[in-house]
Amino acid sequence: MSRLTKSHCSRQMLQELEQIAQIVEQRLEQHETRVRTLTLKVKFSDYQQLTCSKTMLVPISELSTIFEIAKTMFESIELENRSIRLLGISLSNLDNQKQSQAIQLPLFQNGNIIF
């Protein structure tokens, strides 16, 4: 049985993270939603967990951006030869594009300001 190197494990985790990011992007697209806050969750085999979040000024929904943010956060974690049992991405501060467009009311009507 060959032993996996740290770099091999990191590559494998990044591949998993990219697949998770693809699922996240599909769900955002399906719900016509963008996100401002992305949280990375890593749970180790000893059940300790670590989370890191990043909030963007502009809402995002593109796979490349979601993955790059998650990848940067993952690479900042010191793994210390620990086994990972769970890897996940969660989203908050959602910006629903449909809802935003549907509730936008006019400021003027017949040249008068509406109060």
Side-chain angles (χ1 to χ4, degrees):
M1 182 172 164
S2 65
R3 192 158 188 206
L4 298 176
T5 64
K6 183 178 177 182
S7 64
H8 178 77
C9 288
S10 291
R11 273 197 313 272
Q12 188 176 11
M13 289 294 108
L14 289 175
Q15 288 173 347
E16 293 294 325
L17 196 60
E18 187 170 21
Q19 289 178 354
I20 295 166
Q22 288 172 352
I23 293 167
V24 166
E25 184 222 19
Q26 289 168 358
R27 290 181 183 169
L28 287 171
E29 187 176 294
Q30 181 181 33
H31 295 286
E32 296 183 37
T33 302
R34 296 176 296 173
V35 62
R36 289 185 191 273
T37 303
L38 188 142
T39 302
L40 176 70
K41 180 177 183 177
V42 180
K43 190 177 278 189
F44 299 100
S45 59
D46 61 1
Y47 291 92
Q48 288 185 348
Q49 72 179 27
L50 184 121
T51 58
C52 358
S53 296
K54 179 168 175 75
T55 300
M56 280 64 67
L57 295 175
V58 178
I60 61 163
S61 62
E62 300 80 24
L63 172 62
S64 60
T65 309
I66 293 167
F67 177 63
E68 282 305 313
I69 293 166
K71 178 182 172 190
T72 300
M73 287 191 287
F74 180 77
E75 289 175 339
S76 72
I77 297 170
E78 186 58 50
L79 296 176
E80 302 167 358
N81 295 325
R82 297 169 76 185
S83 298
I84 295 173
R85 68 179 308 272
L86 182 137
L87 186 62
I89 296 173
S90 63
L91 309 172
S92 55
N93 293 328
L94 302 177
D95 180 24
N96 187 307
Q97 296 169 353
K98 257 187 179 176
Q99 220 174 31
S100 296
Q101 292 170 1
I103 63 169
Q104 186 171 357
L105 302 173
L107 178 60
F108 296 97
Q109 184 175 7
N110 301 330
N112 298 319
I113 296 178
I114 301 172
F115 290 102

